[in-house]
Amino acid sequence: MKRIVMFAAAALAVVFAVGSAQASTLDDVKARGVLNCGVNGPTGLTGFGAPDDKGNWTGLDVDLCRAVAAAIFGDATKVKYVPLGSKERFTALQSGEIDFLARNSTWTLSRDTDLGLDFVAVNYYDGQGFMVRKELGVSSAKQLSGATVCVQTGTTTEKNLGDYFRTNNLELKSVVFETADQARQAYDEGRCDAYTTDASGLASERTQLKNPGDNIILPEIISKEPLGPAVRHGDNQWGDLVRWSFFAMLIGEEFGITQANVDEMKASSDNPEVRRLLGAEDDMGKMLGVDNTWAYNIIKQVGNYGESFERNVGLKTPLALARGLNELWSKGGLQYAPPAR
Amino acid sequence: MTGLVDRASGLTGSSVPLWKNRTARALFYQALVAGLLLLLTAFFVHNTGVNLAKRGIASGFGFLHGIAGFDISFKLVSYSLTSTYARALLIGLLNTLLVSALGVILSTILGFIVGVARLSNNWLIAKLAAVYVDVIRNIPLLAQLIFWYFGVLSTLPGVRQSIDIFSLFYLNQRGLYSPVPELQPGFGIIPVALLVGMLGAVLVSAWARRRQMLTGQPFHSFWAGLGLIIGLPLVVGLLFGFRMVWSFPELAGFNFKGGFQIAPEFIALLVGLSIHTSAFIAENVRSGVQAVSLGQTEAGLALGLKRGIVTRKIVLPQALRVIVPPLTSQYLNLTKNSSLAVFIGFPEVVAVFAGTTLNQTGQAVECIALTMAIYLVISLIISAFMNWYNRHIALVER
């Protein structure tokens, strides 16, 4: 009898407790003392988000997690990394398991609307490409009719692939795998003639092949893949913070503020935008709901966008990606931050 | 309810109050638990709905009519890049059913052989079977699937270095290619002959059974039936001609064209599932056979029957009653385990629907609900059939 009463009480408690607990994400994160950041899983994507041999997460996306943590806590290490596969990433964000998603996800209309998400920025402009073995003698994606293509499930890739082959009247045979690792392995073993994913992903995956040099990436880019961080729809304050944490890194690069000279810039720069950004003037941080030294902390601890790019995916890394579209707009690229004013 | 009323009225005027009445209390608590469960379910449904609406996530099954636009490599019925999500679901479902049905048949055959082998008097055979069972049962299925796919099939030669078997069959990393007959008009008579042969086999077997009941004379109805099923279509084909053209696999462009291709994903999944499940079935068979008292065998031998007949006609029918119920759960396991196919690239219902479709449409709740409903229905059907079979073979006492 006693047990039944307790069970009933517990059940009712559950029913009423879950009802209405919806504080703002920023308050939740501050109270928790750590940022839950969704990154590429289960094994990561080299250069964008992957654990190194000591288990520390590094990458272009990971730097976004660190930047937001630096803005909130003044400490870029206060991040709990949650590795997510392509299928569960959005559900994890919707359900509140993570505070934001920094996992090379493509900004699309349906994801922006149907999924209840907001994409707040583009930290990597990408496009889908193909990798083939050199011995195949193929020099263009248009020659791939009848070819077998390995692809990872749960991405925009699968549908782009279908669209491209359909519009070009090519015959498609695709083999779809759960993870990028398995798709790459199947390609490497020869199950497929081609492997397709975002061009940056191809560069990353190529470093993992048995003989990277035997494979080429075809020139065609068959889609636009603006990759960027996503937050839950409806919490604009939180969206603003994530967006401006990224912009702070861009503005940092624009004005030549680096990890090395940020202290000096803060102390002696007479550029008003730099002074505002670094918290020497005005209350930019307060407006975002964090400390005025937010951008200073980001650049001091994580670096500006250019530094992050070169460190993780740039020409001196195994990925060897050129800046290309991801160059600042002032140097012919697409990366453009609104003014910090 | 009537029990409650009867009890209560029967006790009118007695000193036992309603809350001390055992039936009344039982009913009350069951109603309480059922009510709470209902409340909890209603809460979850409501909560999901509210949260979906709050996050602005579209819901409903309208998306099924949208164009899927992705390719599915293995399909039993036609599917193209312009087919709908509903069609993609059908393709996935048929693939699940195909691999499950074939897996059930293969694992049953293999399981019975290994199970009986474990009880063999031959030391070597018995030990080999025991090792097989222990090794297979103790390695996770996913590891086995990945072994068969990446470890075994991937090591086959590439397309251009295919293993050539009489220039008819080709084996390479992309699977097994074989010639396939393309049917021409006038072929219809062969399946008709096959049907007649099967009907004949059933009749012969019924006749043989009755004759044995009446006279005790056995008749080789199995071989006669086999002869009818294979022989009759063959004779008809020879008389009227087999109206079909063979399509042979030929290397063209990237892959082989023509013929029939069995994808390595399918082979790996079928082999992995069948071998994994067969080890469990072997144990069911062993325990079932051991459950039959040794006296039955001895009695049969004492009557002068051959060992094979004793096993087939005395031991197995009794063992089956023990074997079938756990066999049912193995069939259910095999069907559900086929969902691991997503890791080796075979497009069954979970990969196609709970994977690709879910991600393209973002309709997580609907896709998962439909997928779960599909597995539930398949499981209930298997279960119902096996229960019927179990009753059918149950010991009939006269």
Side-chain angles (χ1 to χ4, degrees), chain A residues 1 22 94 114 116 146 153-154 158-159 166 174 176 178 189-191 193, chain B residues 29 54-55 57 68 71 73 81 85 173-174 255 265 342 345 356 359:
Chain A
M1 181 64 200
Q22 200 87 71
Q94 290 160 355
D114 264 10
T153 188
E158 249 182 295
K159 206 158 179 163
R166 200 163 101 199
S174 68
V176 184
E178 174 76 5
E189 304 270 7
R191 172 67 181 95
D193 299 303
Chain B
Y29 287 132
K54 204 191 290 178
R55 306 232 183 286
I57 300 170
D71 178 53
S73 56
L81 288 172
Y85 286 117
Q173 289 169 319
R174 309 274 165 91
N255 296 305
E265 291 80 28
V342 63
T356 306
N359 203 268

PDB file of all heavy atoms in Angstrom, chain A residues 1 22 94 114 116 146 153-154 158-159 166 174 176 178 189-191 193, chain B residues 29 54-55 57 68 71 73 81 85 173-174 255 265 342 345 356 359:
ATOM      1  N   MET A   1       0.840  -1.199   0.000  1.00  0.00           N
ATOM      2  CA  MET A   1       0.000   0.000   0.000  1.00  0.00           C
ATOM      3  C   MET A   1       0.874   1.249   0.000  1.00  0.00           C
ATOM      4  O   MET A   1       0.741   2.134  -0.831  1.00  0.00           O
ATOM      5  CB  MET A   1      -0.908  -0.032   1.239  1.00  0.00           C
ATOM      6  CG  MET A   1      -1.842   1.168   1.329  1.00  0.00           C
ATOM      7  SD  MET A   1      -3.014   1.186  -0.042  1.00  0.00           S
ATOM      8  CE  MET A   1      -3.509   2.875  -0.014  1.00  0.00           C
ATOM      9  N   GLN A  22      11.367  26.972 -18.291  1.00  0.00           N
ATOM     10  CA  GLN A  22      11.929  27.479 -19.528  1.00  0.00           C
ATOM     11  C   GLN A  22      12.577  28.842 -19.284  1.00  0.00           C
ATOM     12  O   GLN A  22      12.063  29.880 -19.681  1.00  0.00           O
ATOM     13  CB  GLN A  22      10.821  27.594 -20.591  1.00  0.00           C
ATOM     14  CG  GLN A  22      11.356  27.634 -21.999  1.00  0.00           C
ATOM     15  CD  GLN A  22      11.545  26.244 -22.579  1.00  0.00           C
ATOM     16  OE1 GLN A  22      10.588  25.579 -22.867  1.00  0.00           O
ATOM     17  NE2 GLN A  22      12.765  25.795 -22.730  1.00  0.00           N
ATOM     18  N   GLN A  94      17.279  20.670 -30.079  1.00  0.00           N
ATOM     19  CA  GLN A  94      15.869  20.934 -29.784  1.00  0.00           C
ATOM     20  C   GLN A  94      15.522  20.552 -28.362  1.00  0.00           C
ATOM     21  O   GLN A  94      14.784  21.257 -27.676  1.00  0.00           O
ATOM     22  CB  GLN A  94      14.971  20.113 -30.728  1.00  0.00           C
ATOM     23  CG  GLN A  94      14.988  20.578 -32.167  1.00  0.00           C
ATOM     24  CD  GLN A  94      14.511  19.478 -33.105  1.00  0.00           C
ATOM     25  OE1 GLN A  94      14.263  18.349 -32.688  1.00  0.00           O
ATOM     26  NE2 GLN A  94      14.388  19.805 -34.376  1.00  0.00           N
ATOM     27  N   ASP A 114      11.356  24.480 -40.320  1.00  0.00           N
ATOM     28  CA  ASP A 114      10.710  23.259 -39.828  1.00  0.00           C
ATOM     29  C   ASP A 114      11.306  22.727 -38.545  1.00  0.00           C
ATOM     30  O   ASP A 114      10.614  22.169 -37.706  1.00  0.00           O
ATOM     31  CB  ASP A 114      10.850  22.153 -40.885  1.00  0.00           C
ATOM     32  CG  ASP A 114       9.611  22.085 -41.754  1.00  0.00           C
ATOM     33  OD1 ASP A 114       8.782  22.997 -41.629  1.00  0.00           O
ATOM     34  OD2 ASP A 114       9.492  21.126 -42.523  1.00  0.00           O
ATOM     35  N   GLY A 116      12.794  24.218 -36.087  1.00  0.00           N
ATOM     36  CA  GLY A 116      12.793  25.027 -34.876  1.00  0.00           C
ATOM     37  C   GLY A 116      14.189  25.470 -34.483  1.00  0.00           C
ATOM     38  O   GLY A 116      14.512  25.553 -33.299  1.00  0.00           O
ATOM     39  N   GLY A 146      26.803   6.208 -63.868  1.00  0.00           N
ATOM     40  CA  GLY A 146      26.978   4.779 -63.628  1.00  0.00           C
ATOM     41  C   GLY A 146      27.942   4.477 -62.513  1.00  0.00           C
ATOM     42  O   GLY A 146      28.123   3.319 -62.145  1.00  0.00           O
ATOM     43  N   THR A 153      24.895   9.042 -44.299  1.00  0.00           N
ATOM     44  CA  THR A 153      23.476   9.340 -44.148  1.00  0.00           C
ATOM     45  C   THR A 153      23.273  10.528 -43.208  1.00  0.00           C
ATOM     46  O   THR A 153      24.150  10.909 -42.456  1.00  0.00           O
ATOM     47  CB  THR A 153      22.717   8.120 -43.604  1.00  0.00           C
ATOM     48  OG1 THR A 153      21.326   8.407 -43.645  1.00  0.00           O
ATOM     49  CG2 THR A 153      23.094   7.830 -42.165  1.00  0.00           C
ATOM     50  N   GLY A 154      22.079  11.099 -43.297  1.00  0.00           N
ATOM     51  CA  GLY A 154      21.709  12.137 -42.339  1.00  0.00           C
ATOM     52  C   GLY A 154      22.342  13.475 -42.607  1.00  0.00           C
ATOM     53  O   GLY A 154      22.584  14.257 -41.710  1.00  0.00           O
ATOM     54  N   GLU A 158      23.175  13.717 -49.281  1.00  0.00           N
ATOM     55  CA  GLU A 158      22.469  12.666 -50.005  1.00  0.00           C
ATOM     56  C   GLU A 158      21.526  13.248 -51.053  1.00  0.00           C
ATOM     57  O   GLU A 158      21.438  12.761 -52.175  1.00  0.00           O
ATOM     58  CB  GLU A 158      21.653  11.857 -48.996  1.00  0.00           C
ATOM     59  CG  GLU A 158      22.165  10.463 -48.784  1.00  0.00           C
ATOM     60  CD  GLU A 158      21.282   9.725 -47.812  1.00  0.00           C
ATOM     61  OE1 GLU A 158      21.226  10.145 -46.636  1.00  0.00           O
ATOM     62  OE2 GLU A 158      20.652   8.755 -48.212  1.00  0.00           O
ATOM     63  N   LYS A 159      20.807  14.282 -50.650  1.00  0.00           N
ATOM     64  CA  LYS A 159      19.822  14.856 -51.553  1.00  0.00           C
ATOM     65  C   LYS A 159      20.503  15.687 -52.655  1.00  0.00           C
ATOM     66  O   LYS A 159      20.079  15.653 -53.801  1.00  0.00           O
ATOM     67  CB  LYS A 159      18.835  15.709 -50.773  1.00  0.00           C
ATOM     68  CG  LYS A 159      17.501  15.813 -51.456  1.00  0.00           C
ATOM     69  CD  LYS A 159      16.400  16.171 -50.466  1.00  0.00           C
ATOM     70  CE  LYS A 159      15.084  16.287 -51.216  1.00  0.00           C
ATOM     71  NZ  LYS A 159      13.929  16.229 -50.337  1.00  0.00           N
ATOM     72  N   ARG A 166      20.407  13.923 -61.154  1.00  0.00           N
ATOM     73  CA  ARG A 166      19.146  14.048 -61.875  1.00  0.00           C
ATOM     74  C   ARG A 166      19.226  15.160 -62.914  1.00  0.00           C
ATOM     75  O   ARG A 166      18.877  14.970 -64.063  1.00  0.00           O
ATOM     76  CB  ARG A 166      18.034  14.341 -60.870  1.00  0.00           C
ATOM     77  CG  ARG A 166      16.654  14.033 -61.375  1.00  0.00           C
ATOM     78  CD  ARG A 166      15.706  13.966 -60.199  1.00  0.00           C
ATOM     79  NE  ARG A 166      14.927  15.190 -60.062  1.00  0.00           N
ATOM     80  CZ  ARG A 166      14.310  15.543 -58.940  1.00  0.00           C
ATOM     81  NH1 ARG A 166      14.415  14.801 -57.865  1.00  0.00           N
ATOM     82  NH2 ARG A 166      13.598  16.635 -58.899  1.00  0.00           N
ATOM     83  N   SER A 174      24.189   4.780 -55.243  1.00  0.00           N
ATOM     84  CA  SER A 174      24.800   5.259 -54.002  1.00  0.00           C
ATOM     85  C   SER A 174      24.759   4.181 -52.939  1.00  0.00           C
ATOM     86  O   SER A 174      23.849   3.365 -52.891  1.00  0.00           O
ATOM     87  CB  SER A 174      24.094   6.520 -53.509  1.00  0.00           C
ATOM     88  OG  SER A 174      22.792   6.209 -53.102  1.00  0.00           O
ATOM     89  N   VAL A 176      24.932   4.002 -48.838  1.00  0.00           N
ATOM     90  CA  VAL A 176      24.788   4.956 -47.753  1.00  0.00           C
ATOM     91  C   VAL A 176      25.191   4.339 -46.414  1.00  0.00           C
ATOM     92  O   VAL A 176      24.728   3.258 -46.076  1.00  0.00           O
ATOM     93  CB  VAL A 176      23.325   5.430 -47.669  1.00  0.00           C
ATOM     94  CG1 VAL A 176      23.175   6.487 -46.603  1.00  0.00           C
ATOM     95  CG2 VAL A 176      22.873   5.966 -49.014  1.00  0.00           C
ATOM     96  N   GLU A 178      26.152   4.830 -42.066  1.00  0.00           N
ATOM     97  CA  GLU A 178      25.744   5.563 -40.872  1.00  0.00           C
ATOM     98  C   GLU A 178      26.745   6.664 -40.518  1.00  0.00           C
ATOM     99  O   GLU A 178      26.361   7.764 -40.179  1.00  0.00           O
ATOM    100  CB  GLU A 178      25.609   4.572 -39.699  1.00  0.00           C
ATOM    101  CG  GLU A 178      25.338   5.189 -38.353  1.00  0.00           C
ATOM    102  CD  GLU A 178      23.906   5.641 -38.187  1.00  0.00           C
ATOM    103  OE1 GLU A 178      23.094   5.389 -39.093  1.00  0.00           O
ATOM    104  OE2 GLU A 178      23.605   6.266 -37.165  1.00  0.00           O
ATOM    105  N   GLU A 189      38.327   0.982 -49.505  1.00  0.00           N
ATOM    106  CA  GLU A 189      38.465  -0.436 -49.842  1.00  0.00           C
ATOM    107  C   GLU A 189      38.099  -0.704 -51.298  1.00  0.00           C
ATOM    108  O   GLU A 189      38.308  -1.800 -51.803  1.00  0.00           O
ATOM    109  CB  GLU A 189      37.539  -1.280 -48.966  1.00  0.00           C
ATOM    110  CG  GLU A 189      37.724  -1.092 -47.460  1.00  0.00           C
ATOM    111  CD  GLU A 189      38.738  -2.052 -46.889  1.00  0.00           C
ATOM    112  OE1 GLU A 189      39.376  -2.752 -47.696  1.00  0.00           O
ATOM    113  OE2 GLU A 189      38.883  -2.099 -45.658  1.00  0.00           O
ATOM    114  N   GLY A 190      37.483   0.280 -51.972  1.00  0.00           N
ATOM    115  CA  GLY A 190      37.144   0.093 -53.370  1.00  0.00           C
ATOM    116  C   GLY A 190      35.691  -0.248 -53.636  1.00  0.00           C
ATOM    117  O   GLY A 190      35.309  -0.539 -54.763  1.00  0.00           O
ATOM    118  N   ARG A 191      34.853  -0.208 -52.580  1.00  0.00           N
ATOM    119  CA  ARG A 191      33.444  -0.511 -52.807  1.00  0.00           C
ATOM    120  C   ARG A 191      32.805   0.532 -53.726  1.00  0.00           C
ATOM    121  O   ARG A 191      31.888   0.242 -54.458  1.00  0.00           O
ATOM    122  CB  ARG A 191      32.708  -0.560 -51.455  1.00  0.00           C
ATOM    123  CG  ARG A 191      31.188  -0.676 -51.542  1.00  0.00           C
ATOM    124  CD  ARG A 191      30.779  -2.019 -52.108  1.00  0.00           C
ATOM    125  NE  ARG A 191      29.332  -2.165 -52.231  1.00  0.00           N
ATOM    126  CZ  ARG A 191      28.645  -1.911 -53.340  1.00  0.00           C
ATOM    127  NH1 ARG A 191      29.266  -1.455 -54.412  1.00  0.00           N
ATOM    128  NH2 ARG A 191      27.349  -2.101 -53.394  1.00  0.00           N
ATOM    129  N   ASP A 193      33.277   4.050 -56.462  1.00  0.00           N
ATOM    130  CA  ASP A 193      34.177   4.768 -57.357  1.00  0.00           C
ATOM    131  C   ASP A 193      34.471   6.150 -56.816  1.00  0.00           C
ATOM    132  O   ASP A 193      35.538   6.694 -57.048  1.00  0.00           O
ATOM    133  CB  ASP A 193      33.540   4.898 -58.737  1.00  0.00           C
ATOM    134  CG  ASP A 193      33.265   3.547 -59.350  1.00  0.00           C
ATOM    135  OD1 ASP A 193      34.226   2.769 -59.484  1.00  0.00           O
ATOM    136  OD2 ASP A 193      32.106   3.252 -59.668  1.00  0.00           O
TER     137      ASP A 193
ATOM    138  N   TYR B  29      -6.955  -0.983  -7.125  1.00  0.00           N
ATOM    139  CA  TYR B  29      -5.552  -0.698  -7.416  1.00  0.00           C
ATOM    140  C   TYR B  29      -5.247  -0.817  -8.902  1.00  0.00           C
ATOM    141  O   TYR B  29      -4.470  -0.047  -9.461  1.00  0.00           O
ATOM    142  CB  TYR B  29      -4.639  -1.619  -6.593  1.00  0.00           C
ATOM    143  CG  TYR B  29      -4.620  -1.231  -5.148  1.00  0.00           C
ATOM    144  CD1 TYR B  29      -4.783  -2.176  -4.144  1.00  0.00           C
ATOM    145  CD2 TYR B  29      -4.453   0.105  -4.773  1.00  0.00           C
ATOM    146  CE1 TYR B  29      -4.785  -1.811  -2.809  1.00  0.00           C
ATOM    147  CE2 TYR B  29      -4.457   0.473  -3.457  1.00  0.00           C
ATOM    148  CZ  TYR B  29      -4.622  -0.490  -2.465  1.00  0.00           C
ATOM    149  OH  TYR B  29      -4.621  -0.111  -1.170  1.00  0.00           O
ATOM    150  N   LYS B  54       5.876  24.827 -29.713  1.00  0.00           N
ATOM    151  CA  LYS B  54       6.643  25.947 -29.173  1.00  0.00           C
ATOM    152  C   LYS B  54       7.920  26.173 -29.981  1.00  0.00           C
ATOM    153  O   LYS B  54       8.345  27.297 -30.203  1.00  0.00           O
ATOM    154  CB  LYS B  54       6.986  25.636 -27.710  1.00  0.00           C
ATOM    155  CG  LYS B  54       7.256  26.897 -26.897  1.00  0.00           C
ATOM    156  CD  LYS B  54       7.846  26.568 -25.541  1.00  0.00           C
ATOM    157  CE  LYS B  54       6.876  25.913 -24.607  1.00  0.00           C
ATOM    158  NZ  LYS B  54       7.472  25.553 -23.317  1.00  0.00           N
ATOM    159  N   ARG B  55       8.544  25.091 -30.426  1.00  0.00           N
ATOM    160  CA  ARG B  55       9.780  25.217 -31.190  1.00  0.00           C
ATOM    161  C   ARG B  55       9.510  25.445 -32.674  1.00  0.00           C
ATOM    162  O   ARG B  55      10.430  25.487 -33.471  1.00  0.00           O
ATOM    163  CB  ARG B  55      10.636  23.969 -31.035  1.00  0.00           C
ATOM    164  CG  ARG B  55      10.925  23.591 -29.604  1.00  0.00           C
ATOM    165  CD  ARG B  55      12.375  23.390 -29.342  1.00  0.00           C
ATOM    166  NE  ARG B  55      12.609  22.969 -27.972  1.00  0.00           N
ATOM    167  CZ  ARG B  55      12.516  23.756 -26.914  1.00  0.00           C
ATOM    168  NH1 ARG B  55      12.180  25.013 -27.076  1.00  0.00           N
ATOM    169  NH2 ARG B  55      12.734  23.292 -25.694  1.00  0.00           N
ATOM    170  N   ILE B  57       8.171  23.373 -34.813  1.00  0.00           N
ATOM    171  CA  ILE B  57       8.511  22.208 -35.632  1.00  0.00           C
ATOM    172  C   ILE B  57       7.238  21.668 -36.267  1.00  0.00           C
ATOM    173  O   ILE B  57       6.250  21.405 -35.578  1.00  0.00           O
ATOM    174  CB  ILE B  57       9.179  21.123 -34.764  1.00  0.00           C
ATOM    175  CG1 ILE B  57      10.454  21.686 -34.139  1.00  0.00           C
ATOM    176  CG2 ILE B  57       9.481  19.887 -35.585  1.00  0.00           C
ATOM    177  CD1 ILE B  57      11.057  20.790 -33.092  1.00  0.00           C
ATOM    178  N   ALA B  68      11.396  12.401 -52.503  1.00  0.00           N
ATOM    179  CA  ALA B  68      12.524  12.028 -51.652  1.00  0.00           C
ATOM    180  C   ALA B  68      13.840  12.541 -52.244  1.00  0.00           C
ATOM    181  O   ALA B  68      14.625  13.171 -51.552  1.00  0.00           O
ATOM    182  CB  ALA B  68      12.570  10.518 -51.476  1.00  0.00           C
ATOM    183  N   ASP B  71      18.954   8.502 -53.596  1.00  0.00           N
ATOM    184  CA  ASP B  71      19.019   7.210 -54.262  1.00  0.00           C
ATOM    185  C   ASP B  71      18.999   6.085 -53.222  1.00  0.00           C
ATOM    186  O   ASP B  71      19.473   6.257 -52.108  1.00  0.00           O
ATOM    187  CB  ASP B  71      20.311   7.127 -55.094  1.00  0.00           C
ATOM    188  CG  ASP B  71      20.444   5.779 -55.765  1.00  0.00           C
ATOM    189  OD1 ASP B  71      19.494   5.378 -56.453  1.00  0.00           O
ATOM    190  OD2 ASP B  71      21.489   5.133 -55.587  1.00  0.00           O
ATOM    191  N   SER B  73      20.182   2.086 -53.134  1.00  0.00           N
ATOM    192  CA  SER B  73      20.947   1.207 -54.016  1.00  0.00           C
ATOM    193  C   SER B  73      20.274  -0.143 -54.228  1.00  0.00           C
ATOM    194  O   SER B  73      20.422  -0.747 -55.271  1.00  0.00           O
ATOM    195  CB  SER B  73      22.340   0.992 -53.437  1.00  0.00           C
ATOM    196  OG  SER B  73      22.231   0.477 -52.128  1.00  0.00           O
ATOM    197  N   LEU B  81      14.835   8.755 -58.523  1.00  0.00           N
ATOM    198  CA  LEU B  81      15.158   9.975 -57.785  1.00  0.00           C
ATOM    199  C   LEU B  81      13.949  10.885 -57.637  1.00  0.00           C
ATOM    200  O   LEU B  81      13.985  11.842 -56.873  1.00  0.00           O
ATOM    201  CB  LEU B  81      16.294  10.719 -58.500  1.00  0.00           C
ATOM    202  CG  LEU B  81      17.672  10.049 -58.389  1.00  0.00           C
ATOM    203  CD1 LEU B  81      18.673  10.731 -59.285  1.00  0.00           C
ATOM    204  CD2 LEU B  81      18.156  10.054 -56.959  1.00  0.00           C
ATOM    205  N   TYR B  85       8.666  10.035 -50.479  1.00  0.00           N
ATOM    206  CA  TYR B  85       9.156   9.455 -49.228  1.00  0.00           C
ATOM    207  C   TYR B  85       8.381   8.181 -48.884  1.00  0.00           C
ATOM    208  O   TYR B  85       8.947   7.235 -48.325  1.00  0.00           O
ATOM    209  CB  TYR B  85       9.023  10.462 -48.088  1.00  0.00           C
ATOM    210  CG  TYR B  85      10.031  11.576 -48.139  1.00  0.00           C
ATOM    211  CD1 TYR B  85       9.636  12.893 -48.310  1.00  0.00           C
ATOM    212  CD2 TYR B  85      11.396  11.310 -48.012  1.00  0.00           C
ATOM    213  CE1 TYR B  85      10.562  13.930 -48.365  1.00  0.00           C
ATOM    214  CE2 TYR B  85      12.321  12.329 -48.065  1.00  0.00           C
ATOM    215  CZ  TYR B  85      11.904  13.643 -48.239  1.00  0.00           C
ATOM    216  OH  TYR B  85      12.825  14.646 -48.292  1.00  0.00           O
ATOM    217  N   GLN B 173      34.386  -6.795 -55.273  1.00  0.00           N
ATOM    218  CA  GLN B 173      33.959  -5.997 -54.123  1.00  0.00           C
ATOM    219  C   GLN B 173      32.546  -5.479 -54.245  1.00  0.00           C
ATOM    220  O   GLN B 173      31.931  -5.103 -53.269  1.00  0.00           O
ATOM    221  CB  GLN B 173      34.858  -4.769 -54.011  1.00  0.00           C
ATOM    222  CG  GLN B 173      36.236  -5.068 -53.564  1.00  0.00           C
ATOM    223  CD  GLN B 173      37.064  -3.830 -53.765  1.00  0.00           C
ATOM    224  OE1 GLN B 173      36.947  -3.145 -54.771  1.00  0.00           O
ATOM    225  NE2 GLN B 173      37.904  -3.535 -52.797  1.00  0.00           N
ATOM    226  N   ARG B 174      32.049  -5.394 -55.481  1.00  0.00           N
ATOM    227  CA  ARG B 174      30.715  -4.832 -55.664  1.00  0.00           C
ATOM    228  C   ARG B 174      29.652  -5.909 -55.569  1.00  0.00           C
ATOM    229  O   ARG B 174      28.485  -5.657 -55.813  1.00  0.00           O
ATOM    230  CB  ARG B 174      30.624  -4.142 -57.027  1.00  0.00           C
ATOM    231  CG  ARG B 174      31.722  -3.170 -57.305  1.00  0.00           C
ATOM    232  CD  ARG B 174      31.392  -1.803 -56.749  1.00  0.00           C
ATOM    233  NE  ARG B 174      32.572  -0.952 -56.691  1.00  0.00           N
ATOM    234  CZ  ARG B 174      32.946  -0.135 -57.664  1.00  0.00           C
ATOM    235  NH1 ARG B 174      32.235  -0.081 -58.762  1.00  0.00           N
ATOM    236  NH2 ARG B 174      34.015   0.612 -57.528  1.00  0.00           N
ATOM    237  N   ASN B 255      31.117  -0.218 -63.929  1.00  0.00           N
ATOM    238  CA  ASN B 255      30.657  -1.450 -63.304  1.00  0.00           C
ATOM    239  C   ASN B 255      30.262  -2.477 -64.347  1.00  0.00           C
ATOM    240  O   ASN B 255      30.318  -2.211 -65.535  1.00  0.00           O
ATOM    241  CB  ASN B 255      29.423  -1.159 -62.431  1.00  0.00           C
ATOM    242  CG  ASN B 255      29.757  -0.250 -61.283  1.00  0.00           C
ATOM    243  OD1 ASN B 255      30.654  -0.541 -60.514  1.00  0.00           O
ATOM    244  ND2 ASN B 255      29.043   0.855 -61.193  1.00  0.00           N
ATOM    245  N   GLU B 265      26.560  -5.558 -49.459  1.00  0.00           N
ATOM    246  CA  GLU B 265      25.889  -5.162 -48.220  1.00  0.00           C
ATOM    247  C   GLU B 265      24.841  -6.207 -47.843  1.00  0.00           C
ATOM    248  O   GLU B 265      24.693  -6.571 -46.684  1.00  0.00           O
ATOM    249  CB  GLU B 265      25.203  -3.802 -48.382  1.00  0.00           C
ATOM    250  CG  GLU B 265      26.150  -2.629 -48.534  1.00  0.00           C
ATOM    251  CD  GLU B 265      26.709  -2.488 -49.929  1.00  0.00           C
ATOM    252  OE1 GLU B 265      26.024  -2.908 -50.884  1.00  0.00           O
ATOM    253  OE2 GLU B 265      27.828  -1.990 -50.085  1.00  0.00           O
ATOM    254  N   VAL B 342      22.330  -0.503 -41.123  1.00  0.00           N
ATOM    255  CA  VAL B 342      22.696   0.873 -41.457  1.00  0.00           C
ATOM    256  C   VAL B 342      24.216   1.061 -41.361  1.00  0.00           C
ATOM    257  O   VAL B 342      24.796   1.871 -42.068  1.00  0.00           O
ATOM    258  CB  VAL B 342      21.936   1.850 -40.543  1.00  0.00           C
ATOM    259  CG1 VAL B 342      22.308   1.653 -39.098  1.00  0.00           C
ATOM    260  CG2 VAL B 342      22.159   3.279 -40.949  1.00  0.00           C
ATOM    261  N   GLY B 345      25.732  -0.161 -44.692  1.00  0.00           N
ATOM    262  CA  GLY B 345      25.251   0.425 -45.931  1.00  0.00           C
ATOM    263  C   GLY B 345      24.136  -0.314 -46.635  1.00  0.00           C
ATOM    264  O   GLY B 345      23.911  -0.087 -47.817  1.00  0.00           O
ATOM    265  N   THR B 356      17.737   8.494 -43.371  1.00  0.00           N
ATOM    266  CA  THR B 356      17.754   9.519 -44.399  1.00  0.00           C
ATOM    267  C   THR B 356      16.486  10.372 -44.394  1.00  0.00           C
ATOM    268  O   THR B 356      16.555  11.602 -44.374  1.00  0.00           O
ATOM    269  CB  THR B 356      17.926   8.855 -45.772  1.00  0.00           C
ATOM    270  OG1 THR B 356      19.088   8.038 -45.726  1.00  0.00           O
ATOM    271  CG2 THR B 356      18.084   9.895 -46.841  1.00  0.00           C
ATOM    272  N   ASN B 359      16.178  12.731 -41.546  1.00  0.00           N
ATOM    273  CA  ASN B 359      17.069  13.879 -41.611  1.00  0.00           C
ATOM    274  C   ASN B 359      16.674  14.865 -42.693  1.00  0.00           C
ATOM    275  O   ASN B 359      16.839  16.066 -42.532  1.00  0.00           O
ATOM    276  CB  ASN B 359      18.497  13.411 -41.819  1.00  0.00           C
ATOM    277  CG  ASN B 359      19.446  14.469 -41.327  1.00  0.00           C
ATOM    278  OD1 ASN B 359      19.868  15.318 -42.079  1.00  0.00           O
ATOM    279  ND2 ASN B 359      19.714  14.462 -40.033  1.00  0.00           N
TER     280      ASN B 359
END
